[in-house]
Amino acid sequence: MALYVEGLSKGVANRGMAQFQEMMRQQLESSMHAELEKLLDTTTGAEREVSKKDFEGFNNLFHRFLQVKGPSVEWSKIQRPPEDSIQPYDKIAVRGLPDNVANSLNKLVVVKLNGGLGTSMGCKGPKSLISVRNENTFLDLTVQQIEHLNKTYNTDVPLVLMNSFNTDEDTKKILQKYTHHRVKIHTFNQSRYPRVNKESLLPVSTNLSMTGQNAEGWYPPGHGDIYASFYNSGLLDHLITQGKEYIFVSNIDNLGATVDLHILHHLVSQPNGKRCEFVMEVTDKTRADVKGGTLIKYEGKLRLLEIAQVPKAHVDEFKSVSKFKIFNTNNLWISLPAIKRLQESNAMDMEIIVNPKTLDGGQNVIQLETAVGAAIKCFDNALGINVPRSRFLPVKTTSDLLLVMSNLYSLDAGSLTMSPKREFPTTPHVKLGSSFTKVQEYLTRFESIPDMLELDHLTVSGDVTFGKNVSLKGTVIIIANHGDRIDIPAGSMLENKIVSGNLRILDH
């Protein structure tokens, strides 16, 4: 009897706790709603309308954030994706191309994610405006690629840039230089969401302005916002009325993300009822990619699993190259009518990424974000295609920049291709030290970019400069001790060498 009473009181206690938690949630939502209304009242007209739409999206995300209990995946439910759900690229390519490639291309729109700044590489303004090869910026190369397609096949593939409030103004100024190129360029802005105080769970901004202290109160909510922003901008409907069927979405700093005609043909040649609405390009994981998101089967659906969703006890397993063999390149092919359908039925479901930040004044805030690839589970007949590594060439650091500026690659119509003179297809592992982090400083340290065709590994640390026509082969490690400087003389050839301290050159 005592046990029964104890069990009963526990049940009441649990019910009471659940009711209390629900009450707290409702209170938080109500407070957030009131604060957002106050923010809206600080402006009028068009800005108020845009912010109101943004806040609707944010409210939805905040509501879901308060509902979440524990990790978004149960580890025991994770299964390997079925064999046929990830196709090898060769199997897609072996079908060849149709006689009329233009028909397929005229159904395509290229979308580049252009919300990021170049701050991590010491640059001001949009990252897409950093010069990466022969004075060409990421944006220049993208325009050249699409213009080349339009001229070669007599087509009209437009370029769409998803900007953020950080990049919009500078990007629009630069777009004037492409007015005589054979590419129609459209832009739309992703949402502007309020950063939330970690303790109070209320916005840190006091008004909608982007100046002074308020500037730090706002953030673009990750690339998963593309669906709502694209739809809200009216551009999605505009493109559908023009007969466009698919978008090819990729990060603007991934120089390997060019339009692939074989993947496009595979998409548009499927019978209508079996049309694949979402393709994620994945590629084989190496030890450098252990944190990259991967595809799994979960509750009967193909799903993207990100490291942030993995319970701590299973992180090492997630990073295993043998268990999870592929990772997401963030090159995605998505059906436009499907985006419209999912947006209008409010069926776009992406896991929330909680991104903690500390503001300049020391205040701890959180950003609620989503990832574009996480929506894969919402689309019909979704597919992974295991593409060659060459389609994943991101430039995140000056170490990456050194690779793409070197003779490892040749540039043709905006596309980089690995030199046939390199004997193996993998890129060298390059690790430049903190003296090279900022682009301007990096550029002053190379009189010319070294010959790297036969390089496997390069590590550089400390105050090091390179003269003209230096050649690097095998494994080269150059370490200048604190207070020392190493100048690699013009014309030097370093093969399997360790260079240290006072320029002693040792065989490796």
Side-chain angles (χ1 to χ4, degrees), residues 89 92 248 258-265 281 333 391:
Y89 176 77
I92 304 284
F248 171 49
T258 55
V259 170
D260 185 279
L261 297 174
H262 294 286
I263 296 176
L264 178 61
H265 174 53
E281 293 186 32
W333 304 73
R391 290 191 59 72

Side-chain angles (χ1 to χ4, degrees), residues 114 128-129 137 139-140 142-143 159-163 167-181 183-188 252:
N114 185 47
S128 55
L129 307 185
T137 65
L139 189 53
D140 291 335
T142 301
V143 170
L159 169 63
V160 172
L161 300 172
M162 179 168 88
N163 298 336
T167 62
D168 188 53
E169 202 178 319
D170 290 337
T171 301
K172 279 181 174 162
K173 276 182 201 157
I174 217 86
L175 289 182
Q176 292 166 8
K177 75 187 257 197
Y178 306 117
T179 43
H180 300 297
H181 287 66
V183 184
K184 285 192 188 111
I185 304 177
H186 307 273
T187 67
F188 69 94
I252 200 155

Side-chain angles (χ1 to χ4, degrees), residues 47-65:
E47 189 186 14
R48 189 180 201 279
E49 284 311 300
V50 170
S51 297
K52 196 174 175 185
K53 262 193 175 154
D54 286 353
F55 287 179
E56 281 168 20
F58 175 77
N59 261 326
N60 180 26
L61 207 54
F62 188 69
H63 171 76
R64 286 175 47 223
F65 162 69

Side-chain angles (χ1 to χ4, degrees), residues 129 148 153 160 214 272 298 339 355 361 364 423 433 439 453 465:
L129 307 185
H148 177 67
Y153 297 102
V160 172
N214 252 356
N272 263 348
Y298 193 83
I339 295 174
N355 190 355
N364 290 325
E423 287 184 11
V439 173
L453 277 174
T465 62

Side-chain angles (χ1 to χ4, degrees), residues 262-483:
H262 294 286
I263 296 176
L264 178 61
H265 174 53
H266 177 78
L267 285 172
V268 298
S269 63
Q270 302 294 312
N272 263 348
K274 291 272 174 64
R275 276 278 171 100
C276 171
E277 293 184 342
F278 194 110
V279 161
M280 177 181 287
E281 293 186 32
V282 296
T283 195
D284 291 343
K285 218 187 225 190
T286 68
R287 303 236 173 259
D289 316 303
V290 291
K291 291 182 179 177
T294 193
L295 281 178
I296 55 169
K297 184 183 175 186
Y298 193 83
E299 296 178 338
K301 286 269 196 177
L302 203 57
R303 181 161 159 178
L304 177 66
L305 177 66
E306 299 276 12
I307 194 164
Q309 296 162 256
V310 177
K312 281 196 169 61
H314 297 281
V315 167
D316 287 343
E317 198 180 335
F318 174 81
K319 289 180 176 178
S320 148
V321 179
S322 54
K323 178 158 184 177
F324 298 105
K325 294 183 165 66
I326 47 108
F327 74 98
N328 168 27
T329 62
N330 223 35
N331 299 348
L332 308 166
W333 304 73
I334 312 171
S335 156
L336 283 166
I339 295 174
K340 182 178 165 74
R341 181 189 79 232
L342 290 165
Q343 273 303 122
E344 290 180 345
S345 58
N346 202 19
M348 202 68 84
D349 175 27
M350 292 165 280
E351 290 74 37
I352 296 170
I353 300 160
V354 181
N355 190 355
K357 297 267 179 188
T358 303
L359 303 186
D360 288 345
Q363 189 177 25
N364 290 325
V365 296
I366 55 171
Q367 297 181 177
L368 303 180
E369 301 176 7
T370 54
V372 56
I376 187 170
K377 64 177 188 280
C378 309
F379 290 84
D380 294 339
N381 305 317
L383 182 68
I385 296 181
N386 192 343
V387 297
R389 180 75 185 200
S390 57
R391 290 191 59 72
F392 185 66
L393 188 59
V395 180
K396 303 288 183 195
T397 62
T398 50
S399 301
D400 300 329
L401 196 55
L402 182 62
L403 290 171
V404 300
M405 290 177 95
S406 76
N407 60 343
L408 286 163
Y409 293 95
S410 56
L411 182 65
D412 180 30
S415 298
L416 290 179
T417 32
M418 179 78 77
S419 166
K421 292 179 184 166
R422 181 153 173 93
E423 287 184 11
F424 26 90
T426 54
T427 49
H429 185 72
V430 172
K431 203 172 172 188
L432 300 178
S434 56
S435 304
F436 291 78
T437 304
K438 294 183 174 173
V439 173
Q440 288 315 113
E441 194 175 356
Y442 151 88
L443 290 170
T444 62
R445 292 183 174 276
F446 292 97
E447 274 194 66
S448 69
I449 301 296
D451 169 0
M452 292 164 53
L453 277 174
E454 294 177 48
L455 181 69
D456 300 322
H457 179 109
L458 173 68
T459 294
V460 184
S461 175
D463 186 0
V464 178
T465 62
F466 292 78
K468 277 191 172 172
N469 305 324
V470 171
S471 180
L472 305 171
K473 300 181 181 185
T475 296
V476 178
I477 298 167
I478 305 169
I479 297 172
N481 298 329
H482 186 67

Side-chain angles (χ1 to χ4, degrees), residues 52 96 160 195 225 231 250 308 477:
K52 196 174 175 185
V160 172
R195 281 179 167 151
D225 181 56
Y231 178 81
S250 62
I477 298 167

Side-chain angles (χ1 to χ4, degrees), residues 107-124:
K107 293 172 182 170
L108 183 69
V109 177
V110 175
V111 180
K112 293 287 181 182
L113 304 172
N114 185 47
L117 293 168
T119 41
S120 63
M121 292 166 80
C123 296
K124 285 192 171 129

